[in-house]
Amino acid sequence: MTAAVVAFVGTGAFIIWRRRTSYHKKRRARRAANGARTEVVVVVGSPHSPLTRSVSLDLERRGFIVYIPVSTLSEEQLVQAESRADIRPLHLDITSPSATQETISRFSAHLSASHQPLPATQTHTLHLSGLLLLPPPPSTIPTGPLPALSASIWSDVLNTQLLAPFATLHAFLPLLTASQLSKVLILTPSIIPSLMPAFHAPESVVAAAMSAYAHTLRAEASSQGVRIYQFKLGNFDYSSVPGISKSQLHMPRSLLVREDLLSWDAQTRAQYAREYMAQQAHLAGVSGSEVKGSSLKELHNRVFDVLTGREASEIRWLGRGSRVYDIVGTWVPYGLVGWMLGFQGQEKVATRSEEVGGGGGDWEEVERAV
């Protein structure tokens, strides 16, 4: 009995020690013999997103050359405003196949060209370590009941959050397969897609499509020497990201809810406003800026491990709540999950009102919250 207790305590202490050692381990990208940077990473994400800024700055600090695809002049200026020589915008117009091919050809030539940082030093070439697909900022994902989500809203969601990332990855795939040991890392939100609550169809659909795409790509690209990873993200603390104001991170949820309600027609508001407001209040304690998130260093370390081949798990849950809510969404009955999130539903009761002297009647739907 004593031996079993000692073995249990010793094993637990070893696991904790190993995790702490790995967490604080110094991680730096490989460099050329002349000390120049050689490892290139393409970070596909909105320059306005705190996640894109955080990951890009950390990769640059660790010795990578970071390229962020942009499609507008304002996005290009935003990347240049970082004032980091090795965080660079890459103009990519995915709406034009010919322009996209031209950009990829120039980028490929840049990677394979000989670079000499200083006169009389040894030349080197660049290596494409991998590509990261980051999720869009939560504020850009529409929420609301399905009747309020028009065809134009769905078209915009599918174009900007699915077709655009797919087209970008498709453009870079030949370079990734040509580079030895390249990685693709797809980051998706975990909490809302795991719970699949009412009024969040766009986010759930996009996350499910990205997961299916990652699974299929993993099956196809593994034979080409490209490894595909997926991180399912929970809550993170973005307060330490430079240049991100508190007002950007902590926009009052009540203000966002009010904007949503005002965009609906009167009938939709009458049917869904009460449940929507109750659910959003409950979600404030599950996901969003009001929740204390995990340190971004946890994510940064794992991203580095993927790019350098140290990460063994192809699917990993990171961030506070990511794994817990995945288990809840998988095993807890949906009705109970909805009740936990404040969605109580409605029942419609039909009552007949007789018209005075007319002998006829009409049917009125009376909604009663239950």
Side-chain angles (χ1 to χ4, degrees):
M1 181 66 179
T2 303
V5 172
V6 172
F8 178 78
V9 174
T11 302
F14 174 75
I15 293 174
I16 295 174
W17 172 82
R18 187 173 181 178
R19 286 183 177 178
R20 288 183 176 179
T21 302
S22 175
Y23 185 83
H24 295 289
K25 183 178 180 179
K26 188 175 182 179
R27 293 169 167 86
R28 293 293 182 269
R30 293 181 301 175
R31 291 179 178 258
N34 57 21
R37 301 183 181 217
T38 61
E39 302 300 314
V40 175
V41 180
V42 177
V43 178
V44 182
S46 169
H48 300 275
S49 169
L51 179 60
T52 303
R53 297 198 63 195
S54 174
V55 171
S56 301
L57 289 169
D58 183 75
L59 289 173
E60 187 272 341
R61 184 179 63 84
R62 296 180 190 268
F64 288 95
I65 302 173
V66 180
Y67 284 89
I68 302 178
V70 297
S71 58
T72 64
L73 180 60
S74 62
E75 289 182 342
E76 183 174 347
Q77 292 173 341
L78 198 60
V79 175
Q80 292 174 339
E82 297 290 351
S83 299
R84 303 293 182 95
D86 291 308
I87 298 181
R88 308 169 185 176
L90 179 66
H91 188 79
L92 186 67
D93 183 9
I94 60 173
T95 61
S96 172
S98 59
T100 299
Q101 184 58 45
E102 183 179 353
T103 299
I104 296 299
S105 297
R106 289 199 307 266
F107 188 68
S108 177
H110 175 68
L111 294 176
S112 58
S114 296
H115 299 268
Q116 189 175 30
L118 295 173
T121 59
Q122 186 178 357
T123 61
H124 66 277
T125 58
L126 303 178
H127 173 251
L128 181 58
S129 297
L131 179 144
L132 277 61
L133 281 180
L134 306 187
S139 60
T140 64
I141 304 177
T143 58
L146 291 175
L149 301 176
S150 64
S152 61
I153 292 177
W154 277 109
S155 177
D156 183 65
V157 168
L158 297 178
N159 279 308
T160 59
Q161 300 181 21
L162 283 181
L163 295 182
F166 291 168
T168 303
L169 180 53
H170 179 268
F172 281 97
L173 202 54
L175 295 183
L176 293 165
T177 55
S179 301
Q180 294 183 348
L181 304 177
S182 288
K183 319 294 190 305
V184 173
L185 174 56
I186 300 175
L187 288 78
T188 58
S190 174
I191 295 178
I192 295 299
S194 294
L195 298 177
M196 288 189 293
F199 311 126
H200 289 77
E203 184 172 356
S204 298
V205 168
V206 169
M210 292 297 292
S211 295
Y213 183 82
H215 181 80
T216 302
L217 184 62
R218 184 179 299 113
E220 296 180 1
S222 58
S223 61
Q224 306 299 318
V226 180
R227 295 199 63 182
I228 311 300
Y229 297 84
Q230 183 182 9
F231 285 174
K232 299 186 177 185
L233 307 181
N235 294 307
F236 285 95
D237 181 9
Y238 293 100
S239 60
S240 61
V241 180
I244 302 297
S245 64
K246 290 185 178 181
S247 60
Q248 290 177 272
L249 295 175
H250 302 287
M251 182 176 292
R253 187 178 290 265
S254 59
L255 179 60
L256 298 176
V257 171
R258 175 180 170 81
E259 292 178 355
D260 289 340
L261 294 178
L262 290 177
S263 67
W264 304 350
D265 57 53
Q267 181 179 359
T268 303
R269 281 198 298 271
Q271 290 178 322
Y272 297 103
R274 180 181 300 177
E275 282 71 22
Y276 183 73
M277 294 172 65
Q279 186 204 69
Q280 293 303 303
H282 281 75
L283 282 176
V286 173
S287 176
S289 59
E290 293 88 349
V291 180
K292 178 64 176 178
S294 300
S295 170
L296 283 167
K297 188 173 182 179
E298 176 188 0
L299 174 62
H300 296 160
N301 288 345
R302 293 298 183 183
V303 169
F304 180 90
D305 291 346
V306 163
L307 295 173
T308 56
R310 300 179 183 179
E311 177 62 51
S313 301
E314 294 180 335
I315 300 177
R316 184 176 288 277
W317 287 260
L318 295 174
R320 182 160 296 174
S322 59
R323 190 55 166 158
V324 171
Y325 288 111
D326 179 76
I327 295 174
V328 169
T330 302
W331 296 103
V332 177
Y334 178 75
L336 181 58
V337 173
W339 176 80
M340 291 168 58
L341 296 178
F343 186 78
Q344 300 176 336
Q346 292 179 334
E347 68 174 6
K348 293 183 178 180
V349 182
T351 61
R352 186 168 181 169
S353 60
E354 299 290 336
E355 293 183 355
V356 178
D362 59 1
W363 292 92
E364 297 177 349
E365 285 189 335
V366 182
E367 295 181 349
R368 184 175 66 225
V370 297

